[in-house]
Amino acid sequence: ARSTALFAGDESNSAFNHNSFISNSGRITLSGADAVGVSLGGNDFLAPWDLDDASGNIAVFSFENSGTVTGGADTGPLVTFRNFNAAGENRVVNAPNGSLLADLATGGVAIEGTNGGETIFNFGAIRGDVMLMGGNDQYVVNATQSYEGGTINGGTGTDLISLSFTDGEVGVFDAAPLT
């Protein structure tokens, strides 16, 4: 049976949606076949983030990681969204000191999205596949990010990669993992 470290977003909540918000500043270590780190429901609370929106619209995340989530051999995704809400967006921020570290030897998945919209802000370290599937997805990075192994796959839809560097800041983003 598949085990899950953190599960949020039960559709039987009082608002009858899957809104779920988790913040990790500690350590989550996965072991066992198909074990999942963080499993979140879809959000109708978060309006899709617009890169051109000067107001930011970016104070809340489905999953905020400033800790470490590590996957062992043959584990499932470190972060997965179970479903989506067409009017909302699933959103992850991996902070500068955050790490999502899947096992590369067994094809580990760091983040698994849905056929809805997801926005991933990677300012820390991600190792493993980022599989966003269908929908209009965004992957935002800055100079503090690192990405190792696997692929970043937006799936179908209109997908966007945003390099967010400040004036005079030197940053490197390797586009090779993009599919």
Side-chain angles (χ1 to χ4, degrees), residues 49-56 138 160:
W49 183 68
D50 181 353
L51 178 65
D52 296 323
D53 181 0
S55 70
Q138 300 180 75
L160 173 71

Side-chain angles (χ1 to χ4, degrees), residues 107-166:
V109 175
I111 300 171
E112 180 181 67
T114 66
N115 284 322
E118 275 89 34
T119 296
I120 310 303
F121 294 86
N122 182 25
F123 307 135
I126 293 180
R127 182 176 67 208
D129 291 337
V130 175
M131 308 301 292
L132 300 179
M133 301 203 256
N136 299 334
D137 305 310
Q138 300 180 75
Y139 189 81
V140 181
V141 299
N142 70 4
T144 62
Q145 70 86 33
S146 70
Y147 180 79
E148 176 188 349
T151 60
I152 301 169
N153 187 332
T156 60
T158 303
D159 302 318
L160 173 71
I161 299 290
S162 175
L163 309 177
S164 179
F165 302 114
T166 58

Side-chain angles (χ1 to χ4, degrees), residues 7-147:
F7 181 97
D10 184 355
E11 52 180 27
S12 66
N13 66 16
S14 61
F16 302 104
N17 59 30
H18 303 280
N19 290 343
S20 49
F21 307 96
I22 293 178
S23 179
N24 174 48
S25 60
R27 176 175 292 278
I28 300 170
T29 303
L30 305 179
S31 63
D34 294 325
V36 173
V38 178
S39 177
L40 297 134
N43 278 292
D44 68 356
F45 178 79
L46 300 174
W49 183 68
D50 181 353
L51 178 65
D52 296 323
D53 181 0
S55 70
N57 181 23
I58 200 65
V60 180
F61 301 93
S62 308
F63 179 61
E64 184 173 359
N65 184 52
S66 60
T68 301
V69 182
T70 306
D74 298 318
T75 58
L78 305 182
V79 178
T80 187
F81 289 98
R82 295 184 310 278
N83 48 39
F84 69 95
N85 184 301
E89 173 180 80
N90 297 322
R91 194 178 293 160
V92 172
V93 64
N94 191 39
N97 54 341
S99 297
L100 298 172
L101 307 173
D103 185 291
L104 292 178
T106 58
V109 175
I111 300 171
E112 180 181 67
T114 66
N115 284 322
E118 275 89 34
T119 296
I120 310 303
F121 294 86
N122 182 25
F123 307 135
I126 293 180
R127 182 176 67 208
D129 291 337
V130 175
M131 308 301 292
L132 300 179
M133 301 203 256
N136 299 334
D137 305 310
Q138 300 180 75
Y139 189 81
V140 181
V141 299
N142 70 4
T144 62
Q145 70 86 33
S146 70
Y147 180 79

